[in-house]
Amino acid sequence: MYSAPMLTPLRAVPAPAADSPTLPHNLDAEAALLGAMMIDNRLAEDVQLKLRPEHFFEPVHGEIYGAILKLVDRAMLATPVTLRPMFADHPALSELGGPAYLAQLTEQSAALIAAKDFAAQIYDLALLRELVRVGREMVVSASDTSQDVNPHDQIQQAELALYKVAEEGEVSNSVKSFAQSATLAVQMAERAKQSGGHLSGITTGLNALNTKIGGLHRSDLIILAGRPAMGKTALATNIAFSAAERLMKDRADQIDKTSGAGVAFFSLEMSADQLATRILAEQARISSEDLRMGKINQAQFRDLVRASAALQDLPLYIDDTPGLTIAAMRSRARRLKRQKGVGLIVVDYLQLLQGSSRQSNDNRVNEISEITRGLKTLAKELNVPVIALSQLSRAVEQREDKRPQLADLRESGTIEQDADIVLFVYRDEYYHAQKKPEDGTEKFEKWMERGIAIRGRAEVIVAKQRHGSTGIVDLHFEAVHTRFSDLADDAHLPERDYE
């Protein structure tokens, strides 16, 4: 009968003498975590949010952990082979067997199952060691009577030291003094003033929309919804491109205070090349359909090549992985934030994301609730705006007035609850084409007049906004180029309540 070999615990430091007190630590957990991370580099995305090299009890382990993070940050594979040059002449590692120790760490592949638990324990033990250090200093300070004794000062110093230990957790990231918050508010107001009084966040590329919502604000979850064929993806793509293009131009002009941002675009419906085709077609002023079908002449092809060359440095990163879970998407977003410095995240679209569990008896409403909460948490965690596209229910089609309402958000009321801004895209032209009366009648003439008046018109309905008022933003939409733009100053808008 076969029996699995016993795993030999890895010990990086000699065992302490029996009569000497030891600090809380778990060397086996440290070794197991490092081995798991070298086997599966994706673990770095989860553990590095809290765990730092100094949290390891064994200094060599901390250095190996830091080296793994450096390689992962550079999008390189972190394995015993790639780490070997970094520790070839490391004196402390030589005492453990040299670079061969790195390979030994990966022998405990069973550690993959509990890697996150090991990381949590290493972090907790580091906090306990810090508490021990603070306690010892308190004892030494309270026992020293060689100077003027002031117990109240010692108590205050002890409280400050304990609070610093507490700040090692999430408190320091989430709690800000009013002075800090007020400074951020003044900086936001300064940006709005410098932009002409209408833009305090990241630009949407549309002046009318910027004026209405002040741009895209950090930590906001923006829901962009609409029925099929309204132009949700087109508007999201236009906004993503505008933000990325602004950042690219400001970098070239060495402008520090930019209203642009690098963009992470998670496309669960369209492939990366399809999205790129849309953007290139828009910039080259070519029909995306003609481009896809190959119906372009030589001059148009040259325009396409020029547009492609001009956008080589565009900080727009497209992830078209299908079937992403909200957890996987958040992990990828954190990586892009760290590696590429993205300042805007777009998800197309929300209903194609998966929750943590996809069993047949799961409640879809609860799953959507989990997804929207996850997106809002991501926006706050990374301090970036997140635009999530969403479908609307078919109830819109049953009403005479097809303009969307908040109640039309599909599958969950928590979409409205978690969102800071809810935008609806609506094009009356689409529905007007379906109302064509009999040719030659008086109604037909009115229908034609109305069709001419609303041709190329689109509305972005601001149905919810925590920071300002709701209302309607009128835009121009070019169906051929799937492009939204501001209306001309002299454009005449038809009445909305016609019939």
Side-chain angles (χ1 to χ4, degrees), residues 233 237 265-282 287-289 291-293 304 308 316-322 482:
T233 300
T237 305
F265 199 115
F266 291 91
S267 179
L268 287 82
E269 186 174 35
M270 298 174 64
S271 65
D273 60 294
Q274 287 175 324
L275 274 175
T277 298
R278 278 195 174 197
I279 293 173
L280 288 175
E282 176 193 333
S287 166
S288 57
E289 182 179 353
L291 181 58
R292 193 166 53 249
M293 301 286 289
L304 182 69
S308 177
L316 175 58
Y317 310 97
I318 302 171
D319 187 327
D320 60 358
T321 307
T482 59

Side-chain angles (χ1 to χ4, degrees), residues 291-323:
L291 181 58
R292 193 166 53 249
M293 301 286 289
K295 298 178 181 179
I296 58 174
N297 56 38
Q298 191 62 33
Q300 289 174 318
F301 182 75
R302 284 196 296 270
D303 291 340
L304 182 69
V305 172
R306 277 196 292 268
S308 177
L311 301 179
Q312 286 298 308
D313 297 326
L314 187 72
L316 175 58
Y317 310 97
I318 302 171
D319 187 327
D320 60 358
T321 307

Side-chain angles (χ1 to χ4, degrees), residues 230-231 234 427 429 456-458 475-479 482-485:
M230 289 295 105
R427 293 194 299 116
E429 182 181 10
R457 302 301 171 89
L475 299 173
H476 179 67
F477 178 72
E478 295 179 57
T482 59
R483 179 176 185 269
F484 285 83
S485 58

Side-chain angles (χ1 to χ4, degrees), residues 214-226:
L216 307 172
H217 297 88
R218 300 187 187 280
S219 79
D220 272 4
L221 172 59
I222 300 108
I223 298 296
L224 177 57

Side-chain angles (χ1 to χ4, degrees), residues 11 44 47 74-75 101 125 153 233 235 240 259 270 300 306-307 310 315 321 324 336 358 364 402 461:
R11 181 166 294 279
V47 303
R74 297 171 187 167
Y101 180 69
L125 291 173
D153 286 347
T233 300
L235 181 56
S259 59
M270 298 174 64
Q300 289 174 318
R306 277 196 292 268
T321 307
L324 274 178
L336 284 167
R358 290 287 290 174
R364 181 58 176 165
K402 310 296 186 185
I461 302 169

Side-chain angles (χ1 to χ4, degrees), residues 183-203 214-219 256-260 383 385:
T183 300
L184 293 174
V186 171
Q187 290 173 350
M188 183 179 68
E190 181 186 13
R191 285 196 301 270
K193 182 178 181 298
Q194 291 177 345
S195 69
H198 65 268
L199 181 61
S200 56
I202 296 170
T203 183
L216 307 172
H217 297 88
R218 300 187 187 280
S219 79
D256 295 329
K257 294 183 178 180
T258 178
S259 59
N383 194 32

